[in-house]
Amino acid sequence: MAVDHTRDFFQPAGLNPGDLDKTSLPFFLTRWITHFCAPVFVLLAGASAALYHRKRGDLRDTRSFLVSRGLWLMLLECTWVNFSWFFSLGTLHLGVLWAIGGAMVLLSFAVRLPPMVVGLGGLL
């Protein structure tokens, strides 16, 4: 993921790694593999939430953990990440951390639902 984020600083100007006629195999592959990173991050966030709940066993504790962690991620996206990308606090771009944080906040409400409603059946 870091390779793709820094790719713009090292690639030839105007090169689109998705344009197969003009790119090289390494540039294409670094861009292609990153398409799996964000979904895997979200999957791991959900898996860690399930493991946290299984370890603690307290629904209220799990919900407060998910809300606080989600809001921290959303705040981090709006402040540090945006400033790091744009060097301005006036620019707001909601990216992957915002999506993961928002999903954690929504998940804090979904953990109250029975596993059959969420589609997990006998997994939990």
Side-chain angles (χ1 to χ4, degrees):
M1 194 73 189
V3 170
D4 185 56
H5 284 303
T6 58
R7 173 185 42 82
D8 289 334
F9 297 110
F10 301 107
Q11 73 181 13
L15 177 67
N16 177 4
D19 185 1
L20 297 178
D21 293 330
K22 297 179 183 172
T23 191
S24 66
L25 185 62
F27 275 128
F28 174 78
L29 290 177
T30 58
R31 185 69 185 138
W32 178 77
I33 197 68
T34 58
H35 286 84
F36 297 104
C37 292
V40 169
F41 292 161
V42 174
L43 175 75
L44 292 175
S48 68
L51 291 172
Y52 181 87
H53 178 64
R54 181 174 280 181
K55 180 180 178 183
R56 300 284 181 164
D58 182 21
L59 186 61
R60 184 177 301 231
D61 186 37
T62 302
R63 291 187 71 202
S64 68
F65 171 76
L66 287 170
V67 168
S68 65
R69 181 64 53 93
L71 291 176
W72 272 112
L73 286 173
M74 294 165 83
L75 179 69
L76 183 68
E77 178 79 37
C78 292
T79 56
W80 179 256
V81 173
N82 275 301
F83 183 76
S84 297
W85 277 103
F86 303 109
F87 300 109
S88 168
L89 291 177
T91 303
L92 183 62
H93 174 78
L94 305 177
V96 174
L97 288 182
W98 177 270
I100 293 173
M104 286 182 139
V105 171
L106 292 176
L107 184 61
S108 72
F109 296 106
V111 294
R112 296 185 65 152
L113 298 172
M116 291 302 287
V117 173
V118 184
L120 298 176
L123 293 177
L124 295 177

